[in-house]
Amino acid sequence: DAMVIQNPRYQVTQFGKPVTLSCSQTLNHNVMYWYQQKSSQAPKLLFHYYDKDFNNEADTPDNFQSRRPNTSFCFLDIRSPGLGDAAMYLCATSKTLRERKDTQYFGPGTRLTVL
Amino acid sequence: QQQVKQSPQSLIVQKGGISIINCAYENTAFDYFPWYQQFPGKGPALLIAIRPDVSEKKEGRFTISFNKSAKQFSLHIMDSQPGDSATYFCAAIKRKAGNMLTFGGGTRLMVKP
């Protein structure tokens, strides 16, 4: 089945130790998004890629970086995780940026714990 | 400033009852309104969506009602089931600004057997 896959599902890291979260998709979608979702809150968009074009949200901390080496894969790098970065990280995809009825498909998320 | 306001924050409904979740938006540039359902430990999944030129859309037990003049829309879940227990997010999209979702704050629904 076509889908959005996130690995790992659970990640534990230490304060200040770099961590990388992975997302892959078999939907062949052009756009990939990364969201941060804290407990009992709505997902918050960090950035997105349209093909290789990277778009950062204005309030995304510099501590968060992303890479998209090809259409199928996208990575979220947290350079120096703080306790406040503990959250669920969601990857999503969409075929385009502007077509009607073309909304986003989410992966299952990676739960990040910072010790 | 929260651009999409969602209420209630939590909702308890008896099995077989109707669950109603309301959303209101400020920006008239929004032109597409999806609803997402999220189970604990899972990513949000698209449930149903509506365009602002349509007043109602129904898919199975789920119905969106849309009031463009009031800038409000709501999700009705008919014959609510315990399996519907989840968090529901309304969202709004401005197509001209890209496919970015502006989420409401979420409603945690519990359907009691």
Side-chain angles (χ1 to χ4, degrees):
Chain A
D1 287 341
M3 58 192 340
V4 181
I5 303 162
Q6 290 189 245
N7 286 303
R9 295 294 313 280
Y10 301 91
Q11 176 73 57
V12 179
T13 191
Q14 291 182 332
F15 182 94
K17 184 176 181 181
V19 65
T20 295
L21 309 182
S22 169
C23 177
S24 64
Q25 53 124 344
T26 61
L27 296 158
N28 202 30
H29 282 176
N30 294 313
V31 192
M32 295 186 78
Y33 310 79
W34 278 105
Y35 289 84
Q36 179 192 64
Q37 186 178 26
K38 295 189 176 181
S39 182
S40 302
Q41 295 184 20
K44 178 181 180 297
L45 182 65
L46 296 173
F47 26 59
H48 75 275
Y49 273 96
Y50 182 75
D51 288 334
K52 290 188 179 295
D53 184 22
F54 177 73
N55 297 271
N56 202 28
E57 292 300 296
D59 57 355
T60 298
D62 292 340
N63 197 26
F64 292 87
Q65 304 286 319
S66 186
R67 296 170 284 135
R68 189 178 185 186
N70 54 52
T71 301
S72 301
F73 284 87
C74 196
F75 300 98
L76 170 62
D77 301 308
I78 308 177
R79 294 192 298 187
S80 181
L83 298 178
D85 297 328
M88 175 79 87
Y89 289 88
L90 296 163
C91 175
T93 73
S94 66
K95 188 169 177 60
T96 68
L97 280 178
R98 285 180 173 73
E99 277 190 19
R100 269 193 188 281
K101 297 187 179 181
D102 183 28
T103 189
Q104 295 178 28
Y105 296 87
F106 284 82
T110 295
R111 170 80 59 191
L112 178 68
T113 301
V114 181
L115 301 178
Chain B
Q1 182 183 5
Q2 194 175 5
Q3 293 195 54
V4 179
K5 295 182 181 179
Q6 184 171 345
S7 63
Q9 284 187 315
S10 62
L11 181 61
I12 300 174
V13 172
Q14 292 292 331
K15 179 182 175 181
I18 302 174
S19 304
I20 301 174
I21 303 170
N22 300 300
C23 285
Y25 63 97
E26 298 288 327
N27 194 330
T28 55
F30 289 130
D31 57 2
Y32 199 60
F33 300 87
W35 284 86
Y36 283 83
Q37 178 189 56
Q38 185 176 27
F39 292 104
K42 306 286 187 184
L46 178 64
L47 190 61
I48 187 172
I50 196 167
R51 303 188 323 250
D53 56 341
V54 175
S55 60
E56 185 175 282
K57 182 174 181 180
K58 185 176 181 179
E59 289 184 2
R61 296 184 293 108
F62 300 90
T63 300
I64 303 177
S65 297
F66 194 89
N67 185 331
K68 188 175 181 179
S69 60
K71 294 187 285 186
Q72 295 176 348
F73 57 110
S74 60
L75 176 69
H76 292 64
I77 306 174
M78 313 300 286
D79 186 27
S80 298
Q81 299 296 313
D84 297 329
S85 298
T87 299
Y88 292 81
F89 292 98
C90 63
I93 295 173
K94 294 178 225 174
R95 291 290 171 182
K96 290 183 179 179
N99 204 4
M100 302 305 140
L101 290 163
T102 299
F103 283 100
T107 297
R108 184 173 290 184
L109 170 66
M110 180 185 297
V111 181
K112 289 192 168 182

